[in-house]
Amino acid sequence: MLSVVVPVYNVENTLDRCIQSIVSQSYDAMEILLIDDGSTDSSPRLCDEWAEKDTRISVVHQRNKGLSGARNTGIELAQGQWITFVDSDDQLAPDTYRQLMAEVEQTECDLLEYQARIDVGSKQESQLTLPDKTYHSYIGYWFDTEAYRHCYAWNKIYRRNLFQSLRYPEGKTFEDVYLLPLLIRKAQSIKTSPKGTYIYYTNPKGISKQTTPTHISDFLHAHMQILPSMLQHYKQHEVSRSAISRYYLYVLNIQITHHRITGETLLIPTFRPTIIANRGLPTLLKTLMLQVMNPSTLCRLMTMGRKKH
């Protein structure tokens, strides 16, 4: 059985659309857990009305704990062998779960990631496409798909036992970036699939669209849990220098933004990335500059004269 966890907080305008897309799935072997996280609008009533209409739906009303706390409640209550998450302002394309659960059962993977439409409703809308591939190394998955760019909790199906002793960190933004590396390290196999689609709607007020000091610090610290060990051991895992360079430059950009906003001491270690083709002039310039200076000097140059938020 698949446990679908839906955190709910003040989403009266989008909740019906979200739940309708779930209950309309052609896959029936699922439970739907609506976690009302202290909503103050009509969302609690809407949750209860849906539970009356569909016996697969259960509702929990709890004091506000934030997105991580709501997801953690769902994890603790889930009865299925598999868990997935749907944000209550998003939706699923028809027939998504039937296709994906067939792949999960066929490959016996521990985690499956599927494609998504991202920032629907904005000029920045994009499509995340993934290969039809199974990875038996979390390192291969992390670098081959550049998973660090899409650590989203919601476009994945997880074997429930991956969460044994693991939960989303409460009080943190970018909680999915903190947790995904820990989950994939426990996975024996990871499947990526071009089937099904998660539809993620843009939310201008969402935390992922903000760059406050706290948010960018959380984002940087999440990646700094991973990057140093990757730099130290990437050769042992047969990761190419170009692959680790791409990740390093990705985190470096976060570090530059963090330094510009906060002015705080740098965390990123020194590394000489290799030149990567087709990554644009800014990336090429940063790569060349890092051949002759350390990241601290580069960050000061990149942020010089820029006003902090």
Side-chain angles (χ1 to χ4, degrees), residues 1-2 4 19-20 22-34 50-51 53-59:
M1 184 171 68
L2 175 65
V4 184
I19 300 176
Q20 184 63 51
I22 300 172
V23 300
S24 299
Q25 291 292 305
S26 53
Y27 183 79
D28 290 325
M30 62 180 175
E31 63 172 353
I32 303 164
L33 302 171
L34 306 182
W50 272 104
K53 291 187 288 186
D54 194 313
T55 58
R56 296 172 297 176
I57 297 177
S58 300
V59 181

Side-chain angles (χ1 to χ4, degrees), residues 169 172-182 218 221-222 225:
K172 296 283 188 183
T173 52
F174 298 101
E175 68 290 331
D176 38 13
V177 183
Y178 277 92
L179 190 59
L180 182 63
L182 302 179
D218 282 350
H221 281 85
Q225 291 188 127

Side-chain angles (χ1 to χ4, degrees), residues 114-163:
Y114 61 102
Q115 66 182 8
R117 290 173 58 197
I118 299 173
D119 287 333
V120 173
S122 77
K123 294 181 180 179
Q124 289 74 43
E125 179 175 343
S126 61
Q127 177 79 25
L128 171 64
T129 57
L130 294 162
D132 184 3
K133 189 170 181 178
T134 300
Y135 298 89
H136 296 287
S137 160
Y138 77 91
I139 294 286
Y141 163 73
W142 187 255
F143 288 106
D144 187 42
T145 69
E146 296 189 1
Y148 47 85
R149 296 181 182 272
H150 41 95
C151 291
Y152 319 121
W154 31 257
N155 67 325
K156 298 172 180 68
I157 295 174
Y158 313 82
R159 193 180 293 273
R160 190 181 65 177
N161 63 15
L162 290 181
F163 289 97

Side-chain angles (χ1 to χ4, degrees), residues 191-236:
K191 169 75 176 172
T192 55
S193 175
K195 297 179 181 178
T197 303
Y198 187 97
I199 303 170
Y200 175 86
Y201 284 89
T202 190
N203 181 0
K205 296 181 180 179
I207 57 175
S208 64
K209 299 299 181 184
Q210 302 178 35
T211 51
T212 68
T214 298
H215 295 154
I216 197 65
S217 291
D218 282 350
F219 196 27
L220 178 60
H221 281 85
H223 281 288
M224 287 307 299
Q225 291 188 127
I226 315 161
L227 180 64
S229 62
M230 293 288 192
L231 291 175
Q232 186 176 358
H233 301 297
Y234 75 94
K235 291 181 180 178
Q236 299 173 21

Side-chain angles (χ1 to χ4, degrees), residues 3-12 14-16 18-19 22 31-39 41 43-44 47 57-75 77 83-91 97 153-155 158 168 175-176 198 203:
S3 296
V4 184
V5 177
V6 185
V8 176
Y9 180 71
N10 290 352
V11 284
E12 60 185 7
T14 61
L15 185 59
D16 284 343
C18 172
I19 300 176
I22 300 172
E31 63 172 353
I32 303 164
L33 302 171
L34 306 182
I35 313 300
D36 167 35
D37 192 45
S39 297
D41 64 359
S43 297
C47 288
I57 297 177
S58 300
V59 181
V60 175
H61 300 288
Q62 66 180 31
R63 65 176 178 82
N64 183 258
K65 296 182 179 181
L67 180 57
S68 288
R71 284 178 179 156
N72 290 340
T73 297
I75 292 168
L77 295 175
I83 294 180
T84 192
F85 302 97
V86 180
D87 285 358
S88 49
D89 49 0
D90 298 335
Q91 68 182 107
Y97 286 157
W154 31 257
N155 67 325
Y158 313 82
Y168 287 97
E175 68 290 331
D176 38 13
Y198 187 97
N203 181 0

